[in-house]
Amino acid sequence: MTTPDSDGLLAEQLLRLTRRVSRIQKRHLEQRDLGITPAQSRLLRTLAHFGSPPRMADLAERLEVVPRAVTTLVDGLEASGKVRRVPDPSNRRVIRIEITDDGRKALQELWGARRGAVDEILAPLTNVEREVLRGLLDTLVDGAPGAHEGHEHAGQGHGHSC
């Protein structure tokens, strides 16, 4: 049985882990010297999951941010040649965001940085502990145990799920 104090401690541990993951990922990103911020990294990863170039509004919705924030991120990525704005073929007033070849190369580096961060975070765990953690995280993220059965997990397959 949990108590309010133990739940508070657990919440604090989760927040500390989140901050640690963020710090380690940022360090791995900086070591690769891509000139991409963590927010730009998130936008690039999100962009890669669309089947066709999305509108800015689609990106804002997926990222759960205001459209203005997406504009700023896209401006920076466009200036560095990682993305480009392209007109929608069916409505030239609509602008879509397309990842460039340089953006795809950067994504490969980003996935490598994320993989390095994950390896560093999980290093103290045994394979059994990793499986237990995977199940617990599935439950916390999806609300039901085993919700990802049959799907690739980070660390398996491509190792770059978001």
Side-chain angles (χ1 to χ4, degrees):
M1 180 169 165
T2 62
T3 66
D5 287 343
S6 66
D7 285 347
L9 177 60
L10 182 59
E12 182 59 30
Q13 287 175 303
L14 286 171
L15 292 172
R16 287 177 50 215
L17 177 60
T18 300
R19 288 190 299 266
R20 182 169 181 242
V21 168
S22 181
R23 277 193 317 271
I24 290 171
Q25 183 176 328
K26 184 177 180 184
R27 181 172 38 83
H28 279 262
L29 195 58
E30 289 169 351
Q31 289 171 346
R32 291 175 184 257
D33 198 27
L34 294 173
I36 295 175
T37 67
Q40 289 172 332
S41 165
R42 185 170 175 237
L43 186 135
L44 265 181
R45 290 190 322 268
T46 301
L47 189 56
H49 287 285
F50 281 91
S52 61
R55 300 172 305 136
M56 295 266 228
D58 300 327
L59 284 167
E61 182 179 330
R62 182 83 56 95
L63 292 167
E64 298 179 349
V65 298
V66 296
R68 178 72 190 118
V70 171
T71 300
T72 301
L73 294 172
V74 168
D75 287 347
L77 288 169
E78 187 175 39
S80 68
K82 308 275 188 298
V83 303
R84 66 178 149 252
R85 288 173 167 90
V86 295
D88 184 297
S90 61
N91 181 350
R92 294 190 57 89
R93 291 175 295 172
V94 174
I95 299 297
R96 296 193 173 267
I97 308 304
E98 181 176 81
I99 195 163
T100 64
D101 288 342
D102 280 351
R104 280 188 262 292
K105 289 176 192 168
L107 266 175
Q108 292 301 317
E109 289 290 323
L110 291 170
W111 284 322
R114 285 173 67 90
R115 181 77 249 149
V118 167
D119 289 346
E120 186 174 332
I121 291 287
L122 297 179
L125 301 180
T126 66
N127 288 339
V128 170
E129 290 169 329
R130 288 175 189 219
E131 285 303 315
V132 169
L133 179 61
R134 183 175 287 121
L136 292 170
L137 291 173
D138 279 348
T139 300
L140 292 174
V141 170
D142 300 326
H148 279 353
E149 286 181 19
H151 295 285
E152 289 181 346
H153 294 284
Q156 297 176 344
H158 298 289
H160 57 260
S161 60
C162 288

